[in-house]
C-alpha cells in the first residue's frame, strides 16, 4: 500500500471545504428532542468531520472554512489541532457566530436535528479566503453540497476547484444534500434528506464535470442529476462527468462505478459489508467518506477503499456522536482483522479500548508530578501544630506555585490535587501552563476501597473538566482474603467503567507493601488479577521496587495485557529524596516507567514549618520548589542513562 505520508509533491493529502459547526448531541437516546435534558459537545459539519476522520486514518488533512471569534470557534480550532488537522485554512470571522446543531436519537429511524446557521461564520466564506498556495499544497480537495447553495461560497469552492486542477490535483464532491440548507424546508425539517428541486439539480450539474470522485446517497445522486429514478440518475451523472461515482446505500454498503453505467444497478465494485445495529445514522456518511479517501488517496484498490469506507460507516452508525466516533487507522485494522462478536459495535470492549487509547487528547512521554492530594496527612499536621484546617487550602496553593516555578512552562510536569482541600489550588493550577492534573476519588485510608464523597462515582465525574485525570489509590495485595479482593476488584471495575463512560483518563495507584510481603512477583500478580477483569487504566502509580527484575516483570505484565497503557509513575511514600533517587535509577531498563508523582517527600517539611508559623509563604514555596527540582533532575538523569 502506498503510504500517504511519503508523497513527494504535496504537503497535504486533502483539504476539506465548507461547513464547520459545533454539534450538541442529546444524551438521552430514545427521547424526543423536546425532552432531551443534557447534551454532549463535538465538532460537526460534513467537511470538518471528514478532516478529522481522514487525519485519524493517517492522511495529512486540512480544513478550509470560517469560524466565529468566540468560544465555539476556538473550540473547533483547538480540536482540529488536537486531531492533527492543519488549520492554515481556518479563517476567524470577527462578525459572525460559529454554527451550532442540536441533534438527538429518537429511535432507529428518527434523528431530529436543528441547524442554527443564520448568517453563520462558515457560510461567509469568500473567494479571497481561498489562498492559491494553500490549495496547491494538497493532492486533493473535498467540496461539499451546502457550500454551492450561496453565491459567495459557491464562488469560493469553484476557485479552489480551478486551482487544484491546475496542478493536477483531484476534486472530490460530497453531495451532502440538506434541503433546508438550500431554503427548501423549514427549521424543523433538518432531518429531511430529500426534496426534489430543479433549481438545485441544475446548479449541481454544473459542478460534476470538474470532479474526479463523486460520493452520495441514492437521494443525493438523484438531486445532483435531476432524475427521479436511481439508474437514470447514475447514467445522467456519467454523461456529465468521468468521475468515479460512489453510491452509498446505508446498511447495504456501497457500489463504486468507475466506467460506463450498465442497466444492472449492481454491476459495480462492491466492498465488503458489515451488518451492525443502527444506532445513529447522523455522521455515518462523513465516516464513510473518510475511510474511502484513506484508501483512494493511499493507492488502494476501489474494492479495498469501499471496504474501508463501509467499515468506518459501520463504526459511526453504531455510536452516538459524529467526528469523535470515526475510527483511527489502527482501530480500523483491528476491526478488519478481528471482527466483532457484538452486533452493536459500541458494546465491543476490545474495539472501544483501541478507540479510546488511539484518540486520547495528547501524548505524555514523561511525567514529573508534585502530588499534593493528601488530605488526612495534612489534617494531622494541622492538628499537631494547632492550625485551623481551613489553612490547608492555602498551603496547597503554595504547592502549586512551587511546582509551577520548577516547571517553568515546560512539558512533562503535573500535579495531583484533591477536591476536599484543593479547590483554590486547582484554580491556581489553571493559571499556569501545566500539562497534567490528577484528582483523587478514594476515601483516604479506606480498605476495602470506598469513594470519598459518594459511591455513585459516575455522577461526580460528569462535572469534571475533560483534561482532569481520575486518580484512585487502592491498598491491594494479591494475597488478601478472597472476600476483600473481590470487593476491591468490583470497586475498581466500577470506576474503570465510569471513567470510560464519561471520557476521563484513569490512574490507578496500587500500594501492596503496607499489607503484606513485597517481592518481585507481588505487583506483577496484582496487576495480572486486575487485567483479568478487563480493568485497563491509562496510568498505573506504583511503589518503588527492590530490583530491576521486579520492573521487568511489571513491564511484561503491562505490555502483554495493554500495549496502549501510558505507563507507570512512581510514588514516594515519604521516602527521603536520596532513597527516591536510587529508586529512579532502578527503573533505568524499564521503559514502561514514565516518571513519578511524589508528595510528602517534597512538601512534608514545608507543611510542618509553615503551619507552625516558622516559615512564611515564599520560604515554603522555595523549599518545596528546591526539593521538587532535585527530584526532577534525578529523574531526568535516570532517563538520560536509559537512553544511553
Amino acid at each position: 500500500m502506498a503510504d500517504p505520508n511519503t508523497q513527494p509533491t504535496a504537503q497535504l493529502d486533502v483539504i476539506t471545504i465548507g461547513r464547520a459547526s459545533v454539534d450538541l448531541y442529546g444524551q438521552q437516546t430514545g427521547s424526543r428532542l423536546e425532552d432531551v435534558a443534557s447534551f454532549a459537545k463535538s465538532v460537526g459539519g460534513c467537511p470538518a468531520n471528514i478532516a478529522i476522520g481522514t487525519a485519524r486514518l493517517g492522511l495529512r488533512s486540512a480544513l478550509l472554512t470560517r469560524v466565529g471569534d468566540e468560544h465555539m470557534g476556538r473550540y473547533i480550532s483547538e480540536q482540529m489541532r488536537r486531531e492533527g488537522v492543519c488549520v492554515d485554512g481556518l479563517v476567524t470571522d470577527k462578525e459572525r457566530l460559529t454554527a451550532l446543531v442540536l441533534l438527538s436519537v429518537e429511535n432507529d429511524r428518527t434523528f431530529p436535528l436543528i441547524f442554527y446557521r443564520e448568517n453563520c461564520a462558515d457560510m461567509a466564506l469568500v473567494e479571497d479566503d481561498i489562498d492559491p498556495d494553500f490549495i496547491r499544497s494538497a493532492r486533493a480537495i473535498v467540496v461539499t453540497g451546502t457550500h454551492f447553495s450561496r453565491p459567495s461560497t459557491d464562488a469560493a469552492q469553484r476557485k479552489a476547484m480551478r486551482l487544484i486542477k491546475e496542478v493536477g490535483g483531484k476534486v472530490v464532491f460530497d453531495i451532502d444534500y440538506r434541503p433546508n440548507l438550500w431554503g427548501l424546508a423549514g427549521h424543523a425539517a433538518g432531518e429531511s434528506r430529500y426534496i426534489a428541486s430543479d433549481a438545485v439539480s441544475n446548479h449541481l450539474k454544473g459542478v460534476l464535470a470538474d470532479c474526479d470522485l463523486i460520493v452520495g446517497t441514492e437521494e443525493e445522486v438523484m438531486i445532483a442529476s435531476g432524475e427521479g429514478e436511481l439508474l437514470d440518475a447514475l447514467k445522467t451523472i456519467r454523461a456529465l462527468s468521468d468521475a468515479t461515482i460512489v453510491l452509498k446505500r446505508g446498511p447495504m454498503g456501497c457500489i463504486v462505478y468507475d466506467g460506463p453505467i450498465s442497466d444492472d444497478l449492481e454491476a459495480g465494485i462492491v466492498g465488503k459489508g458489515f451488518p451492525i445495529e443502527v444506532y445513529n445514522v447522523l455522521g455515518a456518511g462523513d465516516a464513510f467518506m473518510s475511510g474511502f479517501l484513506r484508501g483512494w488517496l493511499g493507492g488502494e484498490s476501489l474494492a479495498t477503499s469501499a471496504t474501508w469506507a463501509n467499515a468506518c460507516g459501520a463504526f459511526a452508525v453504531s455510536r452516538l456522536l459524529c467526528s469523535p466516533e470515526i475510527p483511527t487507522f489502527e482501530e480500523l485494522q483491528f476491526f478488519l482483522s478481528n471482527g466483532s462478536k457484538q452486533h452493536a459495535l459500541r458494546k465491543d470492549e476490545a474495539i472501544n479500548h483501541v478507540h479510546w487509547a488511539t484518540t486520547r487528547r495528547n501524548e505524555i512521554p514523561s511525567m514529573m508530578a508534585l502530588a499534593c492530594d493528601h488530605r488526612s496527612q495534612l489534617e494531622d499536621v494541622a492538628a499537631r501544630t494547632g492550625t485551623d484546617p481551613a489553612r490547608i487550602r492555602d498551603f496547597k496553593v503554595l504547592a502549586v506555585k512551587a511546582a509551577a516555578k520548577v516547571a517553568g512552562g515546560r512539558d512533562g510536569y503535573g500535579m495531583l490535587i484533591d477536591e476536599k482541600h484543593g479547590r483554590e489550588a486547582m484554580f491556581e493550577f489553571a493559571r499556569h501552563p501545566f500539562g497534567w492534573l490528577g484528582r483523587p476519588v478514594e476515601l483516604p485510608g479506606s480498605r476495602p476501597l470506598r469513594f470519598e464523597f459518594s459511591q455513585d462515582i459516575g455522577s461526580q465525574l460528569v462535572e469534571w473538566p475533560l483534561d482532569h485525570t481520575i486518580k484512585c489509590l487502592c491498598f491491594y495485595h494479591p494475597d488478601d482474603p478472597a472476600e476483600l479482593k473481590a470487593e476491591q476488584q468490583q470497586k475498581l471495575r466500577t470506576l474503570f467503567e465510569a471513567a470510560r463512560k464519561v471520557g476521563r483518563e484513569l490512574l490507578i495507584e496500587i500500594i501492596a507493601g503496607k499489607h503484606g510481603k513485597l517481592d518481585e512477583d507481588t505487583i506483577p500478580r496484582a496487576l495480572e488479577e486486575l487485567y483479568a477483569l478487563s480493568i485497563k487504566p491509562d496510568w498505573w502509580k506504583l511503589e518503588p521496587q527492590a530490583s530491576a527484575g521486579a520492573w521487568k516483570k511489571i513491564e511484561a505484565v503491562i505490555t502483554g495485557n495493554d500495549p496502549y497503557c501510558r505507563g507507570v509513575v512512581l510514588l514516594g511514600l515519604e521516602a527521603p529524596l536520596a532513597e527516591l533517587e536510587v529508586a529512579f535509577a532502578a527503573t533505568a531498563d524499564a521503559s514502561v516507567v514514565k516518571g513519578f508523582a511524589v508528595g510528602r517527600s517534597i512538601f512534608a517539611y514545608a507543611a510542618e514549618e509553615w503551619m507552625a508559623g516558622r516559615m512564611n509563604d515564599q520560604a515554603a514555596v522555595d523549599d518545596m520548589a528546591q526539593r521538587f527540582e532535585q527530584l526532577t533532575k534525578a529523574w531526568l538523569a535516570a532517563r538520560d542513562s536509559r537512553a544511553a
Side-chain angles (χ1 to χ4, degrees):
M1 184 190 77
D3 185 346
N5 293 312
T6 60
Q7 296 295 332
T9 57
Q11 299 171 357
L12 294 168
D13 291 305
V14 62
I15 298 171
T16 66
I17 305 172
R19 285 192 289 137
S21 62
V22 173
D23 285 353
L24 299 173
Y25 259 99
Q27 293 180 301
Q28 292 77 48
T29 60
S31 173
R32 299 185 312 154
L33 188 52
E34 293 90 331
D35 300 321
V36 169
S38 60
F39 296 84
K41 183 179 73 171
S42 64
V43 169
C46 171
N49 290 338
I50 296 170
I52 289 174
T54 49
R56 286 186 171 187
L57 291 167
L59 294 181
R60 299 163 300 172
S61 69
L63 175 65
L64 199 166
T65 190
R66 286 190 176 205
V67 296
D69 185 21
E70 25 73 359
H71 311 79
M72 295 298 103
R74 288 192 292 274
Y75 163 69
I76 291 176
S77 177
E78 291 171 10
Q79 185 62 23
M80 287 293 161
R81 289 187 177 92
R82 279 192 288 266
E83 295 280 2
V85 175
C86 172
V87 294
D88 290 352
L90 209 59
V91 178
T92 299
D93 192 310
K94 301 289 185 180
E95 299 177 4
R96 298 168 183 84
L97 293 171
T98 304
L100 299 177
V101 186
L102 299 184
L103 315 92
S104 69
V105 177
E106 190 167 317
N107 54 53
D108 61 352
R109 297 173 304 281
T110 308
F111 308 95
L113 68 157
I114 303 173
F115 291 103
Y116 287 78
R117 298 183 52 81
E118 297 295 330
N119 194 30
C120 66
D122 68 49
M123 289 304 292
L125 197 71
V126 295
E127 286 188 78
D128 286 347
D129 294 330
I130 310 299
D131 176 60
D133 290 337
F134 181 59
I135 296 297
R136 292 170 184 146
S137 72
R139 298 168 57 212
I141 63 168
V142 175
V143 293
T144 49
T146 299
H147 270 55
F148 287 113
S149 68
R150 299 289 183 274
S152 62
T153 54
D154 178 278
Q157 290 202 126
R158 290 180 189 271
K159 177 182 177 180
M161 293 169 70
R162 291 193 302 271
L163 291 168
I164 197 73
K165 298 297 276 188
E166 287 173 3
V167 293
K170 303 294 185 181
V171 174
V172 179
F173 180 28
D174 189 321
I175 301 171
D176 183 38
Y177 182 47
R178 300 285 187 174
N180 70 336
L181 298 185
W182 285 81
L184 299 178
H187 293 307
E191 186 184 0
S192 173
R193 295 304 180 99
Y194 184 70
I195 295 177
S197 168
D198 290 341
V200 173
S201 296
N202 290 334
H203 194 84
L204 293 182
K205 283 182 184 180
V207 176
L208 303 178
D210 293 320
C211 298
D212 299 284
L213 177 67
I214 299 170
V215 180
T217 63
E218 295 180 4
E219 296 88 351
E220 287 170 340
V221 165
M222 288 191 288
I223 194 66
S225 65
E227 303 288 351
E229 297 294 333
L230 182 56
L231 191 58
D232 293 338
L234 292 168
K235 289 184 176 182
T236 296
I237 291 175
R238 175 57 72 233
L240 295 169
S241 175
D242 295 328
T244 298
I245 303 170
V246 181
L247 177 66
K248 297 186 292 187
R249 305 183 76 191
M252 295 183 289
C254 69
I255 303 177
V256 183
Y257 304 96
D258 198 34
I261 307 297
S262 75
D263 291 332
D264 181 2
L265 187 66
E266 306 296 330
I269 300 168
V270 180
K272 179 183 176 182
F274 303 93
I276 46 85
E277 175 199 76
V278 175
Y279 187 65
N280 177 24
V281 301
L282 303 174
D286 305 334
F288 176 97
M289 176 69 94
S290 299
F292 196 91
L293 289 176
R294 176 61 175 90
W296 192 64
L297 292 174
E300 300 291 344
S301 69
L302 291 174
T304 296
S305 300
T307 296
W308 290 1
N310 289 338
C312 289
F315 275 107
V317 165
S318 186
R319 294 169 173 170
L320 177 61
L321 306 178
C322 290
S323 61
E325 315 296 22
I326 300 175
T328 61
F329 192 68
E330 192 167 351
E331 181 184 4
L332 173 63
Q333 295 305 307
F334 181 90
F335 173 60
L336 294 174
S337 297
N338 300 283
S340 175
K341 296 179 181 179
Q342 296 285 349
H343 189 51
L345 293 183
R346 69 185 181 282
K347 297 180 180 179
D348 189 305
E349 199 162 290
I351 290 175
N352 287 342
H353 181 61
V354 178
H355 183 79
W356 168 260
T358 55
T359 59
R360 284 187 290 225
R361 290 171 70 89
N362 58 308
E363 294 298 318
I364 308 178
S366 178
M367 172 59 62
M368 296 174 287
L370 196 167
C372 196
D373 58 328
H374 302 70
R375 287 139 286 167
S376 59
Q377 295 92 336
L378 286 172
E379 289 164 1
D380 290 343
V381 175
R384 188 163 57 249
T385 57
T387 303
D388 183 351
R391 296 198 69 207
I392 296 174
R393 64 188 181 192
D394 300 324
F395 179 76
K396 288 177 182 276
V397 171
L398 300 180
V400 175
K401 292 180 178 179
K405 180 179 179 180
V406 175
R410 294 172 292 175
D411 292 333
Y413 293 83
M415 290 197 74
L416 288 171
I417 303 174
D418 64 290
E419 187 174 336
K420 183 178 182 181
H421 297 298
R423 187 166 178 267
E424 288 77 10
M426 289 185 201
F427 296 156
E428 179 67 25
F429 178 93
R431 298 186 183 101
H432 300 278
F434 276 100
W436 185 86
L437 177 67
R439 296 170 60 174
V441 294
E442 77 280 352
L443 180 67
S446 60
R447 179 175 150 93
L449 173 64
R450 292 288 182 271
F451 302 131
E452 184 166 23
F453 298 111
S454 168
Q455 302 318 297
D456 179 14
I457 191 65
S459 63
Q460 298 179 53
L461 299 176
V462 171
E463 300 174 358
W464 288 24
L466 280 175
D467 56 354
H468 286 193
T469 295
I470 305 159
K471 171 258 178 182
C472 184
L473 164 60
C474 184
F475 294 101
Y476 184 99
H477 196 287
D479 295 329
D480 282 340
E483 186 176 342
L484 173 61
K485 282 174 61 172
E487 187 172 352
Q488 300 216 111
Q489 289 170 349
Q490 182 58 47
K491 209 71 172 175
L492 289 173
R493 174 66 195 183
T494 297
L495 177 61
F496 171 73
E497 291 174 351
R500 288 297 174 83
K501 187 72 174 178
V502 300
R504 306 300 191 274
E505 291 198 26
L506 173 63
L507 178 153
I508 293 181
E509 178 177 359
I510 297 295
I511 296 180
K514 288 195 173 186
H515 297 278
K517 182 180 179 182
L518 187 63
D519 58 29
E520 284 193 359
D521 295 315
T522 305
I523 297 300
R525 288 168 55 210
L527 300 189
E528 281 282 14
E529 291 177 355
L530 297 177
Y531 276 127
L533 300 171
S534 294
I535 297 172
K536 296 181 178 180
D538 302 274
W539 294 95
W540 293 103
K541 186 182 178 189
L542 303 175
E543 55 207 306
Q545 301 297 301
S547 69
W551 283 118
K552 286 184 179 180
K553 292 183 178 182
I554 290 170
E555 185 164 40
V557 170
I558 293 174
T559 56
N561 285 280
D562 182 16
Y564 299 105
C565 181
R566 285 197 185 273
V568 174
V569 291
L570 294 175
L571 57 91
L573 292 175
E574 206 172 1
L577 296 184
E579 195 174 303
L580 289 176
E581 291 178 19
V582 173
F584 291 173
T587 69
D589 295 326
S591 59
V592 74
V593 181
K594 303 298 185 183
F596 64 87
V598 172
R600 284 173 290 169
S601 303
I602 296 170
F603 71 69
Y605 176 75
E608 191 85 28
E609 295 298 296
W610 182 84
M611 289 192 191
R614 297 187 292 268
M615 183 179 281
N616 63 26
D617 289 359
Q618 189 58 53
V621 170
D622 292 343
D623 183 82
M624 288 186 282
Q626 181 273 322
R627 295 169 190 270
F628 187 35
E629 186 166 20
Q630 182 180 338
L631 268 191
T632 61
K633 288 179 177 178
W635 170 251
L636 294 173
R639 283 180 62 84
D640 289 343
S641 66
R642 177 190 298 174

